[in-house]
Structure formats: C-alpha cells, structure tokens
Amino acid sequence: MTVVGIDKMGFYTPGMYVDMAELATARGEDPNKYLIGIGQSKQAVIPPTQDVVTMAANAAEQILTPALKAEIGMVLFGTESGIDNSKATAVYLAHLLGLPQNTRAIELKQACYGATAGLQLAADYVRVHPQAKVLVIGADIARYGLRTAGEVTQGGGAVAMLVTADPTILALDTISSYHTEDVMDFWRPTYRTEALVDGKYSTNVYLDFFKTVWTGYQQQTQRTIADFAAFAFHMPFTKMGRKGLRQILPEATPEQQTQLTTAFEASQADNRNVGNLYTGSLYLSFLSLLRHGQLAANSRIGFFSYGSGAEGEFFSGVLQPNFRDGFVEEQLAQQLANRRRVSVAEYEQIYAAQLSNDGRDVQLAVGEETATYYLAGRQHEQRQYRKQ
Ligand code: HMG
C-alpha cells in the first residue's frame, strides 16, 4: 500500500505576545500558578489585522512553492473560529494563495479536532489517489474573555500541512482509534465571540477520552507504550498534555519513562510560548517535538487529538529519514524570537479592537503589520484581504 502522511509543515502566529508572569500579577495571581500550575510562559496576542484566513495563508506560504501550489487539488481547513456561517475559509484561502481552480476547498468543524479530521480525510484520499497533494490547515483564535479562568489558556495561530504519498516528515499508520460523545464541556453558540466552558470538567473529559482511545488503539494494533519514542498531545495549555502523559507513564519501564518525559519537554516548548491555538495545537506540539527533540528516523510517534463537545482520536505515525527537511527551522525560530512583548494594558486594548459584529465598514490600522497576508478591514460586509 502507498505510504502516505505529512510531507511539509508551516506555522504562523502573529508578532506579539503578553508575558504570563505579568498577566498573573495584573490579575492578582501568583505568577507560578500560570508558569507552573498551568504551564504557560507567553501568550500570542492576535491583532485585528489577522484572522484565521490570513494566519493560514501566512503558514501555508512557508511551505508552498509556485510549483507545489499548482499541484494542490484539495484544501481542508479545520477551524472553530470561522468568519462566515456559509462560505468556507478554505475558499478565501485558496484564492489568496492563488491555488488552481480545479480544487476542492472546504471547512471542517469539531472544536480542536477539526485539523485531525482534515488530516485523516486527506490521508485516505491520497491512499486512493497517490498523485494528489492536499493542503490541511488548523487555524484558530482562542478567546475566553478578560479576567475569566480561561484567560490564561488563550492564544492563536495556524499550522499548515501538506499531505502526500511518500512524505518527508511522517508516514501515518492506517489504524487509529476514535470516540465521540455529546458532552457540554466547551462550546460557542453562534451569537458569541467568546467560548463558554466548564473548565475543570473539560480537563477531566480530556483525560477520560485519552484513556478510552489509547486503550482502543492498543486493542486494535497489539502495540504497547514500548513501541513509542514520543507522544504529541492536543495542548490547550502545557500542563494538560503533561497530565495526559502522566496517565500512561506507569505502563513504561523507568528508562523509557525518562525518555518519554524528555520528549514531552521538547513537545511543549513552543506551545508554552504561544498558548492554545485550538485545532492547530496538537500539530504545533508535533512541530515543537521535531524542532527541539532528539528523535531518530523510523521512530513511532503517538498523537492524541481532542476536540471539546467531544471527539477524541489516538493515531500514530513513523518519522521519516529526512524529516528535518519538511519544515524551515530558521524561519520558525526567527518568527518566535522576533515577537514584540506588549503590556497587559496593550493586550487588553488589542483584545477589545477585534472586528465588530455589526457589519459596519471598517478600515483597520495596518501600519504595524509585517505579515505577508493581512486583513485591511471590511467593506460592504466583505473582508478586505491584502498581500504585501
Ligand atoms: P483555574 O480554576 O484558574 O485553575 O482553571 P486551578 O485552580 O485549577 O489551578 C490550575 C493549576 O495551577 C492547578 O494544578 C493548581 O494546583 C496550580 P493541577 O492541580 O491542575 O495540577 N496552582 C499552582 N501551581 C504553582 N504555584 C501556584 C499555584 N496556584 C495554583 N501558586 C482551567 C484552570 C484550565 C480550568 C481554566 O484555565 C480553563 O477553564 N481553561 C479553559 C478550558 C481548557 O483549556 N480545558 C482543557 C481541556 S478541554 C480542551 O482541551 C479543548 C479546548 O482546547 C477547546 C476545543 O476543543 O476547541 C479547550
């Protein structure tokens, strides 16, 4: 059977962050609650000039040459921060990137699980059509509201993945284990811009789902923890992934426990400095593992995807020999290092300055925008996207 998986990965987050120790102090909390208890050091601040379409375009542009663009036959855009209830973000994206018009372009929604749905559907499609190249996106803005318990778990950004046969980064295994249940742990009715969440309950559901799909995966494959070099978790905040790993660590030998814990530290490094990007979070964690970990080719990685509401999946893949050629390390490192720290007051202003929900014409202040793709405003109820 054709080997299919992730060929290339790009990641974009805007050029601003708020420091979590400073935010803790402003909220009257002990900084260690945010830094250690939650496990976040910096949180991406999303200006009104970036939405999920522009962030996705900025992430995709990192991995797509003009020749590759011409070959893309499908765009699957996972997001729960859509900008239109009818028209798919994938259509805007395909146009911005200049993709061929004989492309299927659709949006997928199931909270933080959307990108995983895209990845698995793309992989199945390529198994049947081995010449196909599918662009899969996970892009979101995580918003809970100022001074809420969820504020410390906000963030935003986009991950772009190219799914092909004979991939450079990861060959996906065909067996995976998934689970869906109607659960009210986190949701966002169409009239709200901030999510509603039963926070503590959501963390318990996450852990229960992980146990269920991990057990199901082992039963289907006869694999055990000994078969894995590392795990990547959906990471709404880094402590959540850490709790997930702790749940299964006792199944490993002491030596492997040390190795898996070291790999986990690599997988949380970038998420700790960006925050939650909902459906892209698992894939940012995977990228972080690739960038900061010491993984050998041919090692097997386990992935736990979780989307509130709720749907979970455990799947796996095998790292390919030249996996480091599948992303542009220098670009990722510079992007994170060059961000500007904003004060809590400035973050609050930016938070309040998002595009209004009343359909009025707006011209955004784009002077500070350095990203290739950005949102310039809204005219006649249409978002005005620009490329520089
Ligand atoms: P909270 O009530 O602010 O925090 O809410 P807490 O009191 O539970 O404290 C958090 C941790 O800090 C605890 O550690 C404390 O002990 C520790 P734990 O017991 O959990 O290990 N702590 C300290 N540590 C060191 N020094 C100190 C200190 N003080 C306390 N001084 C909560 C936390 C996560 C619930 C909240 O932020 C929230 O509601 N977040 C949003 C929901 C969320 O992220 N849920 C995750 C699972 S659901 C999911 O992943 C899906 C999602 O991504 C959405 C989607 O699918 O679309 C969210």
Side-chain angles (χ1 to χ4, degrees), residues 95-137:
H95 172 74
L96 271 185
L97 292 174
L99 301 185
Q101 288 184 329
N102 56 339
T103 297
R104 288 193 176 112
I106 48 179
E107 185 172 313
L108 300 163
K109 178 176 69 185
Q110 189 357 72
C112 300
Y113 176 75
T116 300
L119 178 63
Q120 296 290 24
L121 292 172
D124 282 346
Y125 181 78
V126 177
R127 285 183 188 113
V128 178
H129 305 277
Q131 304 304 321
K133 293 193 184 339
V134 183
L135 178 64
V136 176
I137 300 289

Side-chain angles (χ1 to χ4, degrees), residues 30 33 37 80 111-112 149 153 199-200 202 234 236 239 243 276 308:
D30 178 351
K33 175 175 176 184
E80 55 180 298
C112 300
T153 63
K200 297 266 163 57
S202 73
H234 165 53
K239 179 68 146 316
K243 285 184 179 177
N276 198 354
S308 282

